[in-house]
Amino acid sequence: GACGLGGPGGGGGPPAPPPAPPDALPLGAVRPECRGLSRAAVRLDAPTVAELLEAALAENDLVTAWEEVIAPTLHAVGRKWATAGERYVEVEHLLSWQISAALHRIRPLPEPPRSPPVLLACVPGEQHSLPIEALTAALGQRGVPARMFGAALPAEALHDAVRRTGPRGVVLWAQSRTTADPALARSLAGIEWGLRGARTRPALLLAGPGWGTDVRGPRTERLYGLRSGLAVIEALARPRAGTGEAGAEPAAYGS
């Protein structure tokens, strides 16, 4: 099951674990891999963090490793930082760097020829890119063409990338309300290319907590979570039977 963040359920289960030491992360009821990873991160033991991440990704599919091992540990570090008076920032940075490195080592499958890609980028000013790094790696494992532009891509560069590649869709990540830019989203959704009378626009897929839930606009949809986001993008990138055209409109997708 999922690596939950709350406490254990009631009933006649095993005895409660001993009290955590003062520097332990608030993990709750989680898989043992989370505890080992968090202990190594708190010690700033980079080789062990790297080894445990490699093992988690080798023993699970990427989505499961993200949902049940990596994300819960990241969330615990974030909660500890928020309650520890600016402590643990170095733990969060080391862990994030090692996760990013592990994701970058995942080799994508060969891309289908002449298949428009999906573009992934953070909004201008947004430095938190790990979730869409995970999404990019998972798309690569599935052979979905993807172009990842990382953190804080300037708006003009993002517009140029869309016009140059003619993508199936654009995933735009915003971690906070202060970086989310509805005007940028509207302008991206309005970009067109192709012959007059058969113009094409990209699907715009807004990801991250910065966007909230009230998303409106043509061919614009909200993504929630790695697993459901993958399903949305795979459906978008899959040609309809008997045609070379992309799949369903984003509005048909759920989370």
Side-chain angles (χ1 to χ4, degrees):
C3 185
L5 299 179
D23 285 344
L25 296 179
L27 284 163
V30 296
R31 286 174 50 162
E33 296 95 322
C34 299
R35 298 191 182 281
L37 183 59
S38 71
R39 286 194 293 266
V42 167
R43 295 194 308 267
L44 302 182
D45 183 352
T48 300
V49 170
E51 180 181 330
L52 293 173
L53 287 169
E54 289 294 333
L57 290 165
E59 294 165 9
N60 306 274
D61 65 89
L62 190 156
V63 176
T64 300
W66 177 266
E67 292 179 342
E68 300 190 7
V69 179
I70 297 171
T73 308
L74 277 170
H75 292 161
V77 170
R79 288 200 306 277
K80 188 72 173 181
W81 172 82
T83 60
E86 299 296 318
R87 292 180 60 212
Y88 288 89
V89 173
E90 73 283 4
V91 176
E92 185 174 23
H93 277 239
L94 181 137
L95 180 60
S96 296
W97 175 265
Q98 292 293 335
I99 293 168
S100 181
L103 292 171
H104 290 179
R105 286 193 289 269
I106 296 173
R107 298 192 62 176
L109 293 176
E111 295 182 357
R114 297 180 300 280
S115 181
V118 175
L119 307 189
L120 303 98
C122 294
V123 295
E126 180 58 72
Q127 299 295 333
H128 295 82
S129 62
L130 266 185
I132 60 167
E133 291 180 43
L135 178 56
T136 302
L139 290 171
Q141 283 188 327
R142 289 157 172 77
V144 177
R147 302 290 181 267
M148 167 61 161
F149 295 95
L153 183 66
E156 184 178 350
L158 181 54
H159 283 84
D160 288 346
V162 172
R163 294 189 182 97
R164 290 177 61 188
T165 60
R168 296 253 196 247
V170 178
V171 178
L172 198 56
W173 176 269
Q175 181 78 15
S176 71
R177 294 293 180 97
T178 58
T179 57
D181 186 346
L184 173 61
R186 287 191 296 271
S187 67
L188 288 173
I191 296 177
E192 294 183 330
W193 59 86
L195 299 174
R196 187 180 299 276
R199 306 284 280 175
T200 300
R201 292 183 180 185
L204 180 61
L205 307 173
L206 302 179
W211 295 109
T213 56
D214 184 19
V215 173
R216 297 173 184 165
R219 290 181 60 79
T220 300
E221 186 61 39
R222 184 76 163 80
L223 298 186
Y224 298 94
L226 179 58
R227 189 179 299 273
S228 59
L230 274 173
V232 169
I233 295 171
E234 285 190 286
L236 181 71
R238 190 180 307 121
R240 288 192 291 259
T243 78
E245 299 177 5
E249 291 286 320
Y253 304 148
S255 62

